[in-house]
Amino acid sequence: NYKFWTICMIQDNEKVLLLERLHDDFKGFIPPGGKVEFPESFVEGAIREVKEETGLEVSNLIYKGLYEYVNPEKNDRYIIFNYLTRSFKGDLVQESPEGKPVWVNMKEVENLPMQQSIKRRFPLFFEEGTFEFQVYWDNENDTEGDVRLRRT
């Protein structure tokens, strides 16, 4: 069972655009992104999700890495393709079903409420090279288990 998502970190000088989510299990600040729809490409999915969630049109996406969850007991693999861009145009929406888009100073991000998986990879978006996280899911505790990072 394979599922694919994207996130796209949008940078404007010392700020990044994050969504302040106030619903479901993913409360806190997260970059725009979502599920890739078949048969679109991963880049097309990232561009579409940014437009839907922020109103912005992004281009020149830079592939930064993978973040994947694996669950050997259930034979599941969930893969998130991570992109960075500094190229965007359009008008920011005030609100979207996924949350409120907010420009945040990069130095303040570590103090925001945010999923551990996003905090873990946030600095890697702005470093040279790419990354690959592989996270084994702990079924017994219904949480992340072993986390492996490979910089490439």
Side-chain angles (χ1 to χ4, degrees):
N1 184 23
Y2 294 84
K3 293 184 181 176
F4 302 103
W5 286 267
T6 66
I7 65 169
C8 185
M9 190 73 67
I10 304 166
Q11 183 181 8
D12 186 11
N13 296 310
E14 298 302 313
K15 293 185 175 185
V16 292
L17 185 62
L18 300 174
L19 298 176
E20 183 178 8
R21 287 179 63 125
L22 301 172
H23 66 284
D24 70 29
D25 294 331
F26 298 103
K27 289 182 174 74
F29 289 82
I30 62 170
K35 201 169 192 180
V36 178
E37 296 176 359
F38 187 81
E40 72 186 346
S41 74
F42 300 114
V43 170
E44 289 169 341
I47 291 169
R48 176 186 50 76
E49 287 287 346
V50 169
K51 178 73 171 168
E52 290 175 3
E53 296 177 356
T54 71
L56 299 180
E57 295 177 35
V58 292
S59 57
N60 300 317
L61 275 60
I62 302 164
Y63 173 76
K64 290 307 297 178
L66 284 179
Y67 196 97
E68 73 168 334
Y69 290 97
V70 293
N71 186 331
E73 290 178 34
K74 294 184 177 180
N75 205 28
D76 287 340
R77 173 171 260 159
Y78 300 162
I79 300 172
I80 305 159
F81 288 78
N82 297 264
Y83 298 96
L84 169 70
T85 188
R86 296 176 184 95
S87 302
F88 59 90
K89 65 182 179 179
D91 296 320
L92 200 61
V93 297
Q94 295 301 307
E95 197 77 35
S96 85
E98 297 303 320
K100 180 180 180 172
V102 181
W103 287 105
V104 178
N105 187 297
M106 291 171 60
K107 293 177 182 171
E108 297 171 9
V109 168
E110 66 185 34
N111 299 319
L112 295 175
M114 184 178 281
Q115 298 169 43
Q116 182 59 37
S117 65
I118 303 292
K119 278 191 187 232
R120 185 179 288 138
R121 65 190 126 145
F122 181 82
L124 302 178
F125 279 92
F126 312 102
E127 294 179 4
E128 289 294 318
T130 60
F131 60 84
E132 181 180 291
F133 277 95
Q134 188 175 47
V135 180
Y136 282 80
W137 194 254
D138 178 345
N139 283 313
E140 187 175 322
N141 297 306
D142 196 30
T143 189
E144 292 183 351
D146 187 33
V147 177
R148 300 174 186 174
L149 167 61
R150 176 177 291 135
R151 294 172 189 251
T152 55

